[in-house]
Amino acid sequence: MANSIYRASILQSYSQLLFQPCLSNKHCVPKKTNLLCFASSQLNPARSEVSFCIGTHLIPHPNKVERGGEDAFFVSNFKGGVIAVADGVSGWAEQNVDPSLFSKEIMANASSLVGNLEVNYDPQILIRKAHAATCSKGSATAIVAMLERNGTMKVASVGDCGLRVIRKGQIIFSTTPQEHYFDCPYQLSSELVGQTYLDAVVSSVELVEGDTIVMGSDGLFDNVFDGEIVSTLAAHSDVVEAVAKLHDQYVMVAKALAKLASNHSLDSRFDSPYTIEARSKGLDVPFWKKILGMKLTGGKLDDITVIVGQVVSSAASPQPT
């Protein structure tokens, strides 16, 4: 949750749940665990094709539970799989605008455009067309990842939603947040002063079977360190042996990471990634408290969206039910 609108400044918190492709601004059920496991059709017998097996979980900001928060996300089984998160900017609430409407609509639009020929399975173009089709007032950060059947994952991101790729216990790829200043990330907006698809950071990563992907809103990454993400994945790897269905693992991990972020966000003594960055920007406790050895600590209350998935062989991936 960023705290400023960008007028060159609208961003505050941003978040609301959108799981399966929604074609309207209809609210989806908050604080629910969702999963989608899908396989790609085999077109190239010379190479094993891959796809995502995914679990998701969303925990709204404690003060926004009734509304479901202001994060939005979707998961698609098109080709190797598409995952995306948008984080609505809470600063719009000060202008009596529901911050969740923009994030929900842009994700709904993106979901409906995944297979569009003009999109050409390009996440940056998907962001462009989804943004152009969004009529709600507001703004949001957004990230989209699209997996090719051959293992190439293309990522486009505007703002501070994030993605990590973990291979054999090591993070091999990480997105970098974009911000105008502390707590005011780049954002797609209904206003002309916002960013566009041209401002997106675009990346391409070659994935292999067994790689794990963790995508989330800043509610995850502001409260959980990368090392904690890796250790949480490792702690649940043994549980997989006892889980009957492969996709249940990723639901459990997504839920565990979201719960960890939530716990940290409520802990005033936790030295979180958010407060560490704040101190690095010169935001800290008053000088007299520093003399007493005190410093700014605590997690950041926010909506928390987590998408966790593993790259699996399409031949071995169970079909969705």
Side-chain angles (χ1 to χ4, degrees), residues 1-14 64 70 87-95 99 138-141 159-160 178-189 193-195 218 274 283 300 302:
M1 170 177 70
N3 291 318
S4 324
I5 295 176
Y6 182 68
R7 302 181 215 285
S9 226
I10 250 178
L11 261 186
Q12 213 165 349
S13 73
Y14 30 99
K64 303 172 184 178
E70 293 153 6
D87 191 343
V89 176
S90 66
W92 286 97
E94 298 172 4
Q95 300 185 23
S139 56
T141 61
D160 59 1
Q178 302 166 291
E179 61 180 14
H180 299 285
Y181 50 85
F182 180 67
D183 231 7
C184 184
Y186 281 24
Q187 55 204 262
L188 302 168
S189 175
V193 295
Q195 281 63 61
D218 68 331
Y274 180 76
L283 303 174
K300 180 188 177 186
D302 203 350

Side-chain angles (χ1 to χ4, degrees), residues 171 292 305:
I171 292 180
L292 297 176
T305 297

